[in-house]
Structures are given as C-alpha cells and as structure tokens.
Amino acid sequence: MSEPLHLQGLNPPQRQAVETLRGPLLILAGAGSGKTRVLTRRIAHMLDQGVYPSQIFAVTFTNKAASEMKERVAELIGDKARRVWVSTFHSSCVRILRTDAVHLGYTGNFVIYDDDDQMRLLKQIGKDLNIDPKRIPPKSIRRMMDDAKNKLQDPDQLEAEGRTEPLKIKVWRLYEQRMKGANAMDFNDLINNVVKVWRAHPEVLQKWQRRLRYLMVDEYQDTNRSQYELIKLLSGGPSGNLAVVGDDDQSIYAFRGADITNILNFEKDFPGAMVVKLEQNYRSTSRILQAAMTVVKRNSHRKEKTLWTEKGDGSVLRMIVGRDEQSEADRVAQDIQSKLREGRKAEEIAIIYRTNARSRPFEQIFQRLRIPHVLVGARKFYQRREVRDMLGYLKLIANPSDEMGLLRVLNIPRRGLGDKAVQTLRAHQKNQEVTLFRAAQEMAGMGGRAGKGFASFVSLIDRGREYLRDHTAGELVVFIANESGYWGMLEAEDTDEARGRLMNIRALAEDVDQEEETLPDIDEDGNPVALDESPLARLQRFLDRATLSGQAEELPDDGGQVTLMTCHLSKGLEYPIVYVVGMNEGGFPLLRDDFTEEQVEEERRLVYVAFTRAMDELVISRSLTRIQYGRGIERCSPSRFLGDIPPELLQGGTGRARKRPVSSTADRELAMQAFLSKHGGGAGHTRPLQRPAPKPAHVDELRVTRKVESLEDLQVGTRIFHGDYGEGVIRNRTGDAKNPKLTVEFSQHKRKTLFARYARLEIVQ
C-alpha cells in the first residue's frame, strides 16, 4: 500500500512532528526548515486518522498565513479541510465573544476599536480632564495600556504597583467606562475578555475544551502573556493535545509584548512535552547559515540548535562600504543595477533595514536611477481616509452606541457641526445619561444651523439602517456615499487624488459584498448551526474582518520590483538576493547606552532573521559617517555583530576594529584626517569632520535644484523636482493664484495634479 500523500517527502524530524498527535509537543523550527509544510501535513494527518475537522483549532498571527495553511491542507486532503478552524488569535476571539461576551455585560454586536479609534477616544478623555497633551501625550497612555493588557494587568494592578502616574490610570479607568458604554472593545480586549470569561465561568471554558481537542499554535515565540494564558486554559481540558511551532532565535517582537520565555519554558509549563527540532534548512546556502548562526549563538537565552543545508557552500558574503549614508545607498543601487543587467529579476532582490527611517536614501536613488521598487509598510487599504470614513458610517449603523464612529463622521462632509456643536452634544449626553447617538437624536429638533445638522445626520443613519433591511452591505456603502454628499464632495474636487479616493469607495463597496468563507457554528454535540445570513449580520462579519485586517503588515503582491522593508516585516519571506543595509552601531543594532542584555539579544535575533531571508546571495552594507542633527558629521563604528562573522565568510572584511576593510579609500581618508588633527596638521593639510554649510538646493550628480521662492516661479514649462515622483514639467496651471493647481508630467508617473502650496516642489536649474 502506497504511503499517504501528506507523509511523502518529509525528513525524519518533520515526519515525527507530523505523526505525534497526542499530548504537548514543541516543534523547534529553524529558519527555512519547512515549518508551514509540517503544520499543514500535521492537520492532514489528523484528518486522515479520523479526527473530526471541527475538533482541530490552529491559530496563527496573520490572515495570510491562515489562508495559506487552509489551501495547502485542502490540496492534500480535500474539501473537509475547509471545516478546520484555522484563524488568527484576534479573529478567533471575536468569534468566541460574539456568543460569550454577554457574560461580561456586552451585547453580541459589540464594535472593535482600532488604533485610530483608541487615540481619538484618549484625546477626547484628555480634553474632558483638562490634561496637557504635551505633559502626558495620549500615545504614552495607550502604550501604558497596551503593555499592561499584554500582561493581563488592569488599572487596579498598576495602581498597586505604584510605578505609574495616577492621572494616567485615571484616564485608563475612564477609557474603560467609555468603551463599555459604547459596547466596544480594542484589540487587546478581544483576547483578554475571552480569558476573563473562561476564568470566571468554567462551564463556558469546558464547552470550548470539549469542542476543540487538537490545538496548534504557529509562531509561538511571538505570543504575549495574554495569548499564552488563552492557550494554557484551552489546552487544559481532558485531551491536552497541544502542539506549538516556533523558533526562539526569531523572537523579535518584544516591543509588541512578545515574551520569549513562553517558548523557552514550554517543557516546564507543559510537563512531559516532546521536543522535535527541525534543523535542516531548505532555503539558504551554507555560508549564509554559518554567518547567521555565529551571530545568534552569542545569545545566552536560547535553545541549542544548528541549522544545516544540502544546498552547498554558495558564494561568500560581500561587504559594501559608503562614505556616508547616501553614498552607501548609491553603491548598493549600482550593485543592484549590475545584477539586473546580468539578467536577475527585480522581484528576486530585497533590501532589509533596521528601521523605516533608513529607507529614504534608497528610495531617492532608486527614483533617480529608475529602478522599480516597492516600499513595504505603506498605508493599507482599510487605513485610507475615505475608507475609514465609510467604515465609520457602517459601524454606527451596525452599532448606534459606537461613539468613535459617530464622532468620526458627524461632520463629514461638513454639516455645520464643529467643535462647539460637539461640546454641546457631549454636555447633553452627560446631563441626560444617554448614548451619544441618542443625544444627537434629541438635539435634532433644536433650532439654528446645528439643529439642522444633527437632524440631517440622524436622518441619514436611520435611513441607512432601514435601507440595509432590503439591500446588501455593498449597496449600503454606495447609498451612504451618495446620500451624505461624500461622493459629490470628491467629484467636485476634480483631482487625481479625489478620483483615486472615489475608486477606493467603489472598491470598498465591492469588498463588503465579497463572499468570505466562514466556519459554520456548531453546538456542543458537533452539529452545525445555521449561520445568520441577515444583511446586518453579514455587515457585522465584514466589519470584523476589515478592522482586524489592519493588525498585521502583509506583503504586497506587486511583482517586478525590488522590495524595501524592515527586518520585522521581512520575517517569513525569502529572496534569492538580499542586501542588509545600515550595519553600523546605533543603526543595526539600534542601541542606546542604557539597553539591557535582553535587548541586545533581540538585536542579534533581528540580524539572524535578516540574514536568513537570503537564499543564494547575501550582501551587507554600512557607511563610514552620518550626519547627526545639531552635531555635524559623526564617525560610524561598524556593527558589533559584524565582528562575530568569521573573516573567511565575508569578502571585503567584517568591519572589525582590528581588521578594517582594506578596499575602503574613504576609511583611509578619515584615518588620515584624524591623524593630522591629533598631531597638529596645519591648514591645507586637513579638513575637520564637520557638517557642511547648508545648501540652498537639492544637489546630486544629475540635477541641481533650488527652492521655490514664489509661487509665480511655477509657470507652464518650468522643470520641477518632487521627492516622490521625481523630475517633471508643468503642463498646466489653473485656479487661485494663492494656491494654483498644477498639472505636472512626470517621466515615471505620467501626469499628476498638485496644489502648488502643498506639493513641496523644487525648481530644476
């Protein structure tokens, strides 16, 4: 009898992980070791062994990973794989809370507040309490709340510790009251509230334990305390079948609350756990793996593992050194150009940096050299202004208690309901002790401009709710856009930007009505329960999906472009050629004098992640100097991590202080300057390292520009430079002389319509 498809092609450790279905299991999966293959084959093996699909629960961190896992299982086992519960932490908790949040005093149609909603609510509370936002910024309060919630702490616990400013805790308490009154939860609440329900109501927990008997957690090293507690509770049932997959060497999200001790202490937390190590790497060459491992092995808090590969040694790593950050970017770009001339494709190449701030020199040189590129981490669809405005209307129609949704769209488009009207509305709400929407309804009958504005707004929401009874949610988007005047407002602008925003509203209307595969609910006996298909229920499911989609960065599908991204966003991806740039002290690692050893170890793990994205070729770059605002030009020390790499692996030197790159003439120049300064070299012999005098214009090898002194300089035929679009020619000028509308023809981006006062243009001389 032939071996099942899902067991074919597995190496021995992978097969052991796939076939071990009972009890706690830790799968230590090194970079490129086939983690996703093991997860999907393991689900297929469960189904092949007679496990009911509804008993399997696999949790991931991104919707993309969940979808990919489902598709790959379906390819192996067929349609019954579609009934397996594969989801993200937050999406899973939303589904649980839609039925169980009643135990905490919420209704099933609670709304989810994203980061923007949170900030607006915190700013409003700050105003109500007369808090100076400069002394206590709302962002610092949100950071405090997020850190505490990630650890399952509440305001009382923070107050007892005595380390948090009392006024911040007061804001948090009022925030929780406002959230409860709005029937709203934030992202952290979704997980924490499930834990609260399960702790307070054992019978509810037992219901889920009986239902979900086989648990799998992907990227376990990235879980925080609340996620750990959720899994610990759910896996504490009679079956105890928990498998976690992760790599402690890729734990890089401490800033989001990830706790590496969750994976390091797994065997202690789950006695009797089996550990399977996946150490064969299928992605990178041996030299790339050696470089990555020699860096990360310096960490003391890690589980021992050694990656190996059958791909062979591959080429040595190369070092590129620039005089400054712009020169570094220029040299990297020239190196990429040579790769493209050799026949490599742009989509095979990635540039990885420590922070987004390092992307600008590369964007500029790529723009100039016309190298196609995509910057990962740009504003996502559901974060765009017009989309958020429409979602604000939809959330309010689904849940009239949603205060942030109301405040977002109350005066969009303008209805004469400015700050004074909002203050009056809030005062009425407080006096009458009603929801904000109810207060708006009661004020709709008052006279004057504000009364008409409230009447128009309330009527729109009421008509929208009535409209939804006989129409789809997508049709509701079009109805709101038209009836509110939003569509007409954008049409009247008659700009490329406005037309793009109209296209986004159309795309939203189509997206709302897209059929999203939804797991059917089942009762405690495993029998399917019919899904609520009412327009309101379908709208609510879409709003959950849209709000949760903003959590994780997803890689755009655009092909034919060099990819630029941070280390954090590169995790899970791979490219034939990778450039890891900015490898200087203070850049990569991004360290201060007060950093702890734990933070240094995380920086090493970031290097490990960045290096192991490379399949065939890894290039490292750094600069000799950088301009520090207010301090002039400073010498850059090479990254301490370069000194960990064996010299024989890195062509051009490691950047160690004791062995400088011999090919760097810029290094020799700086050394000579330092020598002459120290030993009294006179004028004419040296120039001190200082910030050059500010230039009146942008200067590079191909163009010289000057600032726009007067808007009259921007006439038809004038050649201009734009930081994002490059060089172009003004073809038309219309509108108000104080802020004329310019039509500019750019060489790469065709025609753009820009308002002169806001476009930040320079004139090409």
Side-chain angles (χ1 to χ4, degrees):
M1 184 176 178
S2 62
E3 190 174 52
L5 178 62
H6 64 270
L7 294 179
Q8 295 176 15
L10 298 174
N11 65 38
Q14 289 177 335
R15 181 158 187 153
Q16 184 182 14
V18 166
E19 293 184 328
T20 302
L21 302 183
R22 305 291 180 183
L25 170 66
L26 170 60
I27 305 171
L28 280 176
S33 61
K35 169 179 70 74
T36 305
R37 164 185 275 206
V38 169
L39 282 171
T40 54
R41 301 292 183 93
R42 197 169 185 275
I43 294 174
H45 189 61
M46 289 182 196
L47 298 173
D48 186 62
Q49 294 297 303
V51 175
Y52 290 113
S54 59
Q55 294 179 326
I56 303 172
F57 178 44
V59 62
T60 73
F61 276 85
T62 68
N63 292 317
K64 184 177 181 180
S67 298
E68 181 183 356
M69 196 181 302
K70 266 193 172 183
E71 290 171 4
R72 291 175 67 167
V73 175
E75 291 172 1
L76 292 167
I77 209 79
D79 285 342
K80 65 179 176 179
R82 304 287 181 188
R83 301 199 300 275
V84 176
W85 189 345
V86 183
S87 182
T88 66
F89 273 103
H90 292 88
S91 296
S92 301
C93 289
V94 170
R95 185 178 176 194
I96 292 169
L97 289 169
R98 288 295 174 205
T99 57
D100 293 343
V102 63
H103 296 287
L104 298 178
Y106 292 87
T107 62
N109 68 330
F110 63 85
V111 69
I112 304 168
Y113 278 12
D114 62 14
D115 293 345
D116 184 65
D117 296 322
Q118 274 187 287
M119 285 302 300
R120 292 170 63 233
L121 178 55
L122 287 171
K123 288 177 182 178
Q124 184 61 55
I125 293 172
K127 287 182 181 179
D128 294 344
L129 297 178
N130 294 316
I131 297 175
D132 182 357
K134 294 182 179 178
R135 188 175 77 84
I136 304 181
K139 284 187 177 180
S140 72
I141 299 176
R142 188 178 74 180
R143 184 166 57 250
M144 170 207 71
M145 289 165 37
D146 287 347
D147 290 345
K149 288 185 178 185
N150 283 335
K151 300 171 185 173
L152 280 174
Q153 293 179 315
D154 59 27
D156 292 341
Q157 289 171 290
L158 251 62
E159 187 175 50
E161 290 177 354
R163 296 197 300 265
T164 305
E165 186 170 350
L167 194 53
K168 286 187 175 182
I169 295 177
K170 183 177 182 179
V171 172
W172 187 4
R173 285 199 169 101
L174 189 53
Y175 170 88
E176 295 297 333
Q177 293 175 16
R178 294 273 184 90
M179 292 286 285
K180 194 68 172 288
N183 196 31
M185 301 184 196
D186 61 33
F187 287 142
N188 289 316
D189 291 334
L190 297 175
I191 297 175
N192 291 9
N193 283 342
V194 172
V195 172
K196 288 178 184 177
V197 171
W198 286 355
R199 284 176 171 176
H201 300 275
E203 73 283 0
V204 179
L205 171 60
Q206 290 166 11
K207 173 188 71 174
W208 290 103
Q209 288 174 337
R210 287 193 298 270
R211 174 177 173 180
L212 304 174
R213 294 175 175 271
Y214 295 85
L215 313 181
M216 289 197 299
V217 184
D218 191 14
E219 305 287 7
Y220 190 66
Q221 78 280 348
D222 293 334
T223 54
N224 59 31
R225 184 68 192 181
S226 61
Q227 291 161 340
Y228 162 84
E229 190 64 25
L230 180 90
I231 294 300
K232 181 85 171 173
L233 286 168
L234 188 57
S235 64
S239 63
N241 300 321
L242 169 65
V244 303
V245 184
D247 180 7
D248 51 301
D249 288 335
Q250 295 187 71
S251 179
I252 59 174
Y253 291 108
F255 72 96
R256 292 182 183 171
D259 188 348
I260 193 174
T261 62
N262 290 348
I263 191 168
L264 295 178
N265 295 339
F266 184 83
E267 294 137 287
K268 178 182 175 181
D269 295 335
F270 300 91
M274 176 182 288
V275 179
V276 176
K277 296 182 181 181
L278 306 182
E279 296 175 300
Q280 182 176 357
N281 178 283
Y282 293 91
R283 175 188 300 151
S284 306
T285 65
S286 180
R287 285 192 173 99
I288 292 171
L289 294 181
Q290 288 179 58
M293 293 302 298
T294 53
V295 173
V296 82
K297 279 189 172 183
R298 292 284 305 275
N299 283 351
S300 56
H301 298 93
R302 67 182 295 270
K303 289 183 175 291
E304 185 57 38
K305 70 183 84 66
T306 302
L307 298 184
W308 61 276
T309 181
E310 295 180 344
K311 284 188 68 172
D313 289 342
S315 59
V316 295
L317 285 62
R318 290 190 294 118
M319 169 73 79
I320 292 177
V321 181
R323 182 186 298 275
D324 51 31
E325 291 178 329
Q326 188 60 59
S327 171
E328 176 191 354
D330 290 351
R331 294 187 178 191
V332 168
Q334 291 167 15
D335 199 73
I336 289 175
Q337 276 192 317
S338 70
K339 297 290 182 189
L340 297 176
R341 284 193 293 267
E342 291 169 5
R344 301 308 297 252
K345 297 179 180 178
E347 60 264 32
E348 296 178 331
I349 302 172
I351 293 178
I352 299 177
Y353 33 77
R354 177 62 180 83
T355 65
N356 277 314
R358 287 292 288 119
S359 71
R360 193 60 184 160
F362 294 94
E363 291 181 78
Q364 290 175 329
I365 186 62
F366 279 24
Q367 181 74 45
R368 196 178 76 211
L369 298 180
R370 299 185 179 182
I371 297 175
H373 61 282
V374 58
L375 185 68
V376 178
R379 184 168 289 269
K380 300 170 74 173
F381 178 76
Y382 290 118
Q383 299 298 317
R384 294 168 186 168
R385 180 175 43 160
E386 60 280 0
V387 175
R388 293 185 63 82
D389 289 342
M390 290 298 108
L391 290 176
Y393 277 113
L394 297 179
K395 287 180 178 180
L396 191 58
I397 288 172
N399 174 18
S401 299
D402 179 14
E403 290 194 2
M404 289 303 102
L406 184 148
L407 291 173
R408 180 176 187 91
V409 298
L410 180 64
N411 201 37
I412 298 178
R414 295 187 182 279
R415 300 183 178 90
L417 300 175
D419 292 342
K420 185 176 180 180
V422 171
Q423 292 172 6
T424 305
L425 178 66
R426 282 201 168 279
H428 185 83
Q429 175 199 26
K430 187 174 182 180
N431 291 335
Q432 299 299 316
E433 297 182 346
V434 294
T435 66
L436 207 58
F437 184 72
R438 180 60 185 166
Q441 288 177 314
E442 293 175 357
M443 294 184 65
M446 63 185 287
R449 185 182 180 191
K452 292 181 180 178
F454 283 123
S456 170
F457 178 73
V458 168
S459 172
L460 175 64
I461 300 303
D462 287 342
R463 287 185 292 122
R465 191 173 296 112
E466 184 69 27
Y467 184 86
L468 184 60
R469 293 181 181 178
D470 301 313
H471 298 81
T472 69
E475 291 171 328
L476 176 64
V477 171
V478 177
F479 175 85
I480 290 295
N482 281 312
E483 294 297 310
S484 66
Y486 202 104
W487 191 275
M489 174 187 73
L490 292 178
E491 281 189 325
E493 287 185 19
D494 192 27
T495 64
D496 285 348
E497 179 187 358
R499 282 186 283 274
R501 295 176 66 192
L502 288 171
M503 290 177 64
N504 287 335
I505 293 176
R506 291 193 192 98
L508 176 66
E510 295 171 1
D511 199 22
V512 173
D513 284 338
Q514 285 271 336
E515 286 295 330
E516 179 76 2
E517 183 183 356
T518 305
L519 283 172
D521 284 328
I522 61 174
D523 59 25
E524 294 186 24
D525 298 323
N527 299 313
V529 177
L531 198 66
D532 186 351
E533 292 292 350
S534 67
L536 183 60
R538 291 173 65 87
L539 173 61
Q540 185 65 70
R541 289 198 293 271
F542 166 76
L543 290 172
D544 291 344
R545 176 160 52 97
T547 306
L548 293 173
S549 73
Q551 290 175 270
E553 300 288 351
E554 303 282 1
L555 182 71
D557 293 328
D558 302 324
Q561 303 174 88
V562 175
T563 302
L564 285 72
M565 67 186 128
T566 65
C567 294
H568 289 96
L569 294 180
S570 74
K571 189 166 171 288
L573 304 173
E574 59 183 33
Y575 296 87
I577 304 171
V578 169
Y579 294 78
V580 179
V581 301
M583 290 291 289
N584 298 313
E585 285 293 302
F588 200 167
L590 183 67
L591 296 177
R592 302 186 302 267
D593 292 338
D594 59 347
F595 263 42
T596 64
E597 181 55 32
E598 288 77 11
Q599 290 168 315
V600 175
E601 291 202 355
E602 178 144 333
E603 293 290 319
R604 284 198 190 97
R605 293 194 291 269
L606 279 163
V607 173
Y608 169 81
V609 168
F611 283 10
T612 54
R613 301 311 96 198
M615 301 167 66
D616 305 322
E617 188 174 347
L618 175 61
V619 183
I620 299 167
S621 75
R622 68 180 187 90
S623 60
L624 300 172
T625 65
R626 64 179 167 217
I627 296 177
Q628 290 284 73
Y629 182 77
R631 295 190 295 188
I633 296 180
E634 289 190 342
R635 179 68 175 269
C636 292
S637 299
S639 169
R640 67 187 70 184
F641 304 137
L642 295 177
D644 297 332
I645 302 174
E648 63 271 16
L649 295 181
L650 184 55
Q651 178 183 336
T654 63
R656 302 184 191 196
R658 64 178 181 271
K659 183 174 181 179
R660 306 191 61 77
V662 296
S663 61
S664 174
T665 56
D667 251 341
R668 290 196 291 271
E669 288 177 20
L670 286 167
M672 180 60 71
Q673 289 180 18
F675 175 84
L676 291 172
S677 296
K678 181 177 180 180
H679 296 283
H685 292 283
T686 184
R687 283 186 316 195
L689 288 178
Q690 59 185 12
R691 188 172 186 167
K695 296 178 182 179
H698 173 92
V699 179
D700 61 29
E701 291 94 330
L702 300 182
R703 75 172 66 80
V704 177
T705 66
R706 64 175 176 83
K707 292 182 178 179
V708 176
E709 302 294 339
S710 167
L711 295 182
E712 291 304 312
D713 294 342
L714 299 173
Q715 299 296 331
V716 173
T718 303
R719 298 193 67 80
I720 57 88
F721 177 79
H722 187 280
D724 293 327
Y725 304 134
E727 195 170 311
V729 178
I730 299 175
R731 296 303 186 193
N732 193 24
R733 172 179 168 137
T734 59
D736 189 350
K738 295 180 179 179
N739 190 18
K741 184 167 66 174
L742 308 176
T743 301
V744 184
E745 185 174 336
F746 292 100
S747 55
Q748 277 189 282
H749 294 267
K750 299 183 180 179
R751 293 196 173 217
K752 294 286 182 182
T753 301
L754 307 170
F755 283 97
R757 188 174 293 278
Y758 310 125
R760 303 189 303 278
L761 301 176
E762 297 172 9
I763 295 177
V764 178
Q765 295 185 310

